[in-house]
Amino acid sequence: MNAAYPATRLRRPRATAWSRAMHRETVLTPADLIWPLFVTEGANVEQPVASLPGVSRWSVDGIVARAKEAVALGIPCLALFPNTPAAARSADAAEALNPDNLMCRAIRAIRDACGDSIGVLTDVALDPYTSHGQDGLLDDAGYVANDITVEMLVGQALVQAEAGSDIVAPSDMMDGRIGAIRAGLEAGGHHNVQIMSYAAKYASAFYGPFRDAVGSTGVLQGDKKTYQMDPANGDEALREVALDLAEGADSVMVKPGLAYLDIIWRVKQQFGVPVFAYQVSGEYALIEAGVAAGIASREALVMEKLIGFKRAGCSGILTYHAPLAARLLGA
């Protein structure tokens, strides 16, 4: 117990910058950041995403340049998402299994340029490859069929691992996919490829700008509520995490981040495993809109939110503000 005022003055340690730093409970470093990047076809291509100010799609050569930038900033990992051309999308998502698809070419290019100096995390889901925009294959009734989708996801994870992915991150929310992917990776000799499971991924309104970035806006038929979680549910998230850990996930993710800090906290407290959050596109866009409206500085808003994720229990955060934050933290 603390002594009473005035023997205890909680403002005393806040009086100077050095003292505030010494008493700081939560520490954020560039090593806590994962930088999501969007890959597109072509060469020397940068396509700004209108709904994500400051974010672009990059051709593979541009992705390599961003990888080198990340290494210099101390960012340990990139997360890649492909903007698959419409002509390569199909109902059966066959392009997901192409070992020379956009994602695999980007993985190999980063690995050739940077070696093991940076980690590569790759999205495992079929929505960048389906003509209907769903994360899985549809049955005759138009329902996303779980088990045949899982078979495709295993194949997708394997081509990414063979291209050099360090972490495969299933974002599809199909039942049983973590165990199936883990078994496939083990059988394929990819014993050290990690699985970061999107274990608690909610059917959120904050994903809109991301769909613009990967070319899914206007493609998606229906919604994703039959597999992504109801935002009202918390206990269900713990069940999802428990299942994924039992099936072989090395780490888990909560997505989106800011509206689900309670879920991050509960997962960390109950399981004590590495928990990551995705500060999703809508969250990023709201910060940028706030900056444009003059409510606060970009730097202050970004750092306060990232510290909030860490304080809630995150081992790391996927954020489009990663290079800005890394520069601020390295200053």
Side-chain angles (χ1 to χ4, degrees):
M1 292 291 293
N2 291 324
Y5 170 89
T8 296
R9 292 178 181 264
L10 291 179
R11 288 185 59 192
R12 204 176 283 137
R14 304 174 197 155
T16 58
W18 66 262
S19 182
R20 291 191 296 272
M22 190 170 70
H23 288 85
R24 188 162 294 136
E25 298 172 23
T26 303
V27 177
L28 181 72
T29 76
D32 297 315
L33 307 173
I34 298 174
W35 187 5
L37 291 167
F38 299 105
V39 193
T40 196
E41 291 285 1
N44 299 312
V45 173
E46 178 185 359
Q47 299 171 339
V49 180
S51 55
L52 281 172
V55 174
S56 295
R57 305 179 197 94
W58 301 90
S59 51
V60 170
D61 54 302
I63 291 292
V64 169
R66 304 288 77 70
K68 292 177 179 178
E69 179 184 356
V71 172
L73 289 170
I75 297 170
C77 189
L78 304 175
L80 300 183
F81 300 91
N83 178 16
T84 305
R89 293 171 176 256
S90 61
D92 64 359
E95 182 67 7
L97 305 184
N98 177 3
D100 200 38
N101 64 25
L102 188 54
M103 180 77 92
C104 292
R105 281 183 274 131
I107 298 167
R108 288 194 295 268
I110 294 170
R111 191 61 64 228
D112 290 344
C114 300
D116 292 329
S117 61
I118 194 163
V120 179
L121 180 154
T122 49
D123 181 55
V124 176
L126 301 186
D127 53 321
Y129 306 98
T130 55
S131 51
H132 46 71
Q134 293 287 355
D135 289 36
L137 304 180
L138 305 183
D139 64 17
D140 293 340
Y143 183 79
V144 175
N146 195 93
D147 295 1
I148 58 171
T149 295
V150 169
E151 292 178 18
M152 286 285 292
L153 297 174
V154 173
Q156 182 184 19
L158 283 171
V159 298
Q160 292 177 0
E162 287 159 8
S165 177
D166 298 292
I167 308 172
V168 293
S171 65
D172 57 285
M173 290 297 287
M174 297 297 113
D175 290 333
R177 88 276 204 214
I178 301 302
I181 291 170
R182 184 74 270 165
L185 291 171
E186 291 294 319
H190 301 292
H191 311 301
N192 288 330
V193 172
Q194 300 175 40
I195 299 176
M196 182 187 292
S197 170
Y198 287 64
K201 181 179 180 180
Y202 286 85
S204 172
F206 287 96
Y207 299 152
F210 176 92
R211 290 173 182 161
D212 290 345
V214 297
S216 292
T217 301
V219 173
L220 178 62
Q221 300 172 17
D223 58 43
K224 302 188 177 186
K225 294 180 180 179
T226 68
Y227 47 97
Q228 294 179 358
M229 288 181 54
D230 185 337
N233 293 356
D235 292 345
E236 183 184 9
L238 301 185
R239 295 182 68 191
E240 289 279 11
V241 169
L243 286 168
D244 287 0
L245 292 172
E247 291 177 19
D250 298 286
S251 58
V252 295
M253 189 194 299
V254 176
K255 181 182 180 183
L258 194 63
Y260 301 89
L261 293 178
D262 60 317
I263 306 301
I264 296 167
W265 173 257
R266 291 178 67 184
V267 171
K268 188 65 175 182
Q269 292 300 302
Q270 179 153 336
F271 298 102
V273 298
V275 183
F276 292 80
Y278 199 143
Q279 187 182 44
V280 298
S281 58
E283 296 175 73
Y284 171 94
L286 287 175
I287 292 174
E288 293 301 313
V291 171
I295 67 165
S297 77
R298 177 179 289 106
E299 291 79 1
L301 290 171
V302 168
M303 298 307 286
E304 186 172 342
K305 288 178 180 289
L306 294 178
I307 283 288
F309 286 123
K310 282 283 289 184
R311 193 179 63 247
C314 281
S315 300
I317 308 107
L318 286 80
T319 174
Y320 304 100
H321 281 122
L324 169 63
R327 288 188 183 94
L328 294 172
L329 291 165

